[in-house]
Amino acid sequence: IKITDFGIAKLLDAQGVTSTGQVLGSFCVIDTKEHRWTQEEVSIVRDLAQSVMTEIELRARSDEHAAALRARERMLAIISHDLRAPLQSIRTSTALLELKELDDESEACLEATRKSVLRMDRMIRDLLDASTLEFDRHSVLPEPVDVASVLEEARASIALVAEERGLTLDFGCTEPCRALADRDRLLQVLYNLLDNALRLTPRGGSIRIDARASDGEIEFQVADTGPGIANEDLSSVFEWAWHADQQDNGGTGLGLSIAKSIILAHGGRIRAENRAAGGARFVFTLVDAADDDQ
């Protein structure tokens, strides 16, 4: 069959369409009238052909990415199931031993076992959280929440520990305000930040939680009087496996990474900085629910 059988007088074969070095086809332009193709027309057609190649490659990568995510989800499901089953068995055995009268050495071993179980359970939750939040922002369900009540709940959750460690704990909200947030996830962010502050602030120090409305956002701050963060580490504190004390503390190192994922899933921002008076400060923003209602 000749192209003239279709009333085609001129054909321009811009270039072959390839993907990862393999030729998939040829991008052509046809015309029913005889004429000379200009350099500008040739350039336009080549740009179109390049766009087609780019789209094909992006779709291929998307398919590969989706397959990788499915494999990752299966792996995490296995980790969750296969690790939590023996952990529950250890937890049950520990609870039964607590009912018995033990000597000091046995009691110390029991306490160490109990703490190890709690750490492992937290590691599993952190791994699942990190994966879910990174790829599924629908896991966050924002709604208007009263900021003062959230801060008070976060403060109350660590008040006893702070007192035992000789730390002053303050919180404040300059005025009544509401944030558009998933309350449980917001508390998770505050718990992660406060846990770091509790661990790193020396006895006699202080921790403060603040929130204020500003330009359509609610800005939260968690500040401490600890050693602060090395300047070269400020840009990496939210990466996986970064530890504030650069030591293995029995956790996953995912706390700050999870906090960042939660805030980004809300459409907010988060940053770490050092205070001029000493210590670290974490600042994050959420949408002001009052502004969102307008």
Side-chain angles (χ1 to χ4, degrees):
I1 300 176
K2 300 178 180 179
I3 61 172
T4 52
D5 294 337
F6 297 93
I8 300 172
K10 194 70 174 176
L11 178 145
L12 173 63
D13 186 349
Q15 64 183 79
V17 178
T18 65
S19 178
T20 62
Q22 181 179 5
V23 177
L24 303 179
S26 180
F27 188 89
C28 304
V29 175
I30 59 177
D31 198 341
T32 57
K33 295 180 180 180
E34 181 73 30
H35 76 274
R36 182 182 298 276
W37 297 103
T38 67
Q39 189 58 43
E40 182 181 3
E41 289 171 330
V42 172
S43 178
I44 291 174
V45 172
R46 284 177 175 163
D47 288 343
L48 289 173
Q50 183 61 51
S51 296
V52 172
M53 287 190 290
T54 300
E55 180 67 21
I56 291 173
E57 291 172 357
L58 286 175
R59 291 192 180 188
R61 291 175 187 173
S62 178
D63 290 342
E64 292 174 359
H65 186 60
L69 288 183
R70 288 193 294 270
R72 179 169 168 173
E73 288 173 357
R74 287 194 296 270
M75 179 191 70
L76 288 172
I78 291 172
I79 291 175
S80 176
H81 179 272
D82 289 0
L83 288 183
R84 277 182 166 158
L87 275 180
Q88 184 57 44
S89 177
I90 296 173
R91 185 180 288 111
T92 300
S93 299
T94 302
L96 291 174
L97 287 173
E98 288 174 345
L99 300 176
K100 299 181 177 294
E101 189 170 336
L102 303 173
D103 57 36
D104 291 343
E105 184 177 357
S106 297
E107 183 63 39
C109 290
L110 183 62
E111 178 64 19
T113 301
R114 186 188 304 112
K115 289 181 178 179
S116 294
V117 169
L118 291 175
R119 281 200 303 270
M120 290 184 69
D121 189 56
R122 179 177 178 181
M123 290 170 68
I124 294 172
R125 291 199 311 272
D126 283 353
L127 284 170
L128 294 174
D129 265 349
S131 177
T132 299
L133 289 163
E134 185 176 359
F135 298 108
D136 181 15
R137 295 191 176 185
H138 294 295
S139 62
V140 172
L141 303 174
E143 60 181 7
V145 298
D146 179 66
V147 172
S149 67
V150 172
L151 294 186
E152 170 57 27
E153 185 171 346
R155 186 202 64 79
S157 71
I158 66 167
L160 183 59
V161 176
E163 183 178 356
E164 291 175 347
R165 297 184 181 181
L167 302 177
T168 301
L169 185 59
D170 298 314
F171 86 107
C173 191
T174 57
E175 58 186 15
C177 56
R178 296 186 304 160
L180 196 62
D182 183 318
R183 185 184 180 91
D184 290 339
R185 290 298 193 182
L186 173 55
L187 283 168
Q188 187 177 357
V189 171
L190 291 171
Y191 292 156
N192 274 324
L193 298 181
L194 290 170
D195 181 64
N196 276 350
L198 281 171
R199 181 164 45 84
L200 296 170
T201 304
R203 179 173 292 275
S206 63
I207 299 171
R208 182 169 179 81
I209 322 168
D210 286 294
R212 66 186 183 91
S214 176
D215 297 328
E217 296 178 325
I218 306 298
E219 182 182 271
F220 295 79
Q221 294 190 15
V222 176
D224 62 58
T225 56
I229 302 169
N231 290 330
E232 61 270 22
D233 290 333
L234 282 173
S235 61
S236 59
V237 294
F238 297 107
E239 294 178 4
W240 281 39
W242 185 90
H243 289 287
D245 54 6
Q246 294 298 296
Q247 297 176 356
D248 181 3
N249 59 7
T252 60
L254 292 174
L256 291 178
S257 176
I258 290 171
K260 179 180 179 179
S261 295
I262 291 173
I263 297 305
L264 292 181
H266 279 83
R269 305 181 308 281
I270 186 169
R271 71 179 188 274
E273 59 191 28
N274 285 312
R275 301 171 62 241
R281 174 166 48 222
F282 287 85
V283 183
F284 65 90
T285 63
L286 295 175
V287 174
D288 190 331
D291 188 72
D292 187 70
D293 291 338
Q294 295 178 0

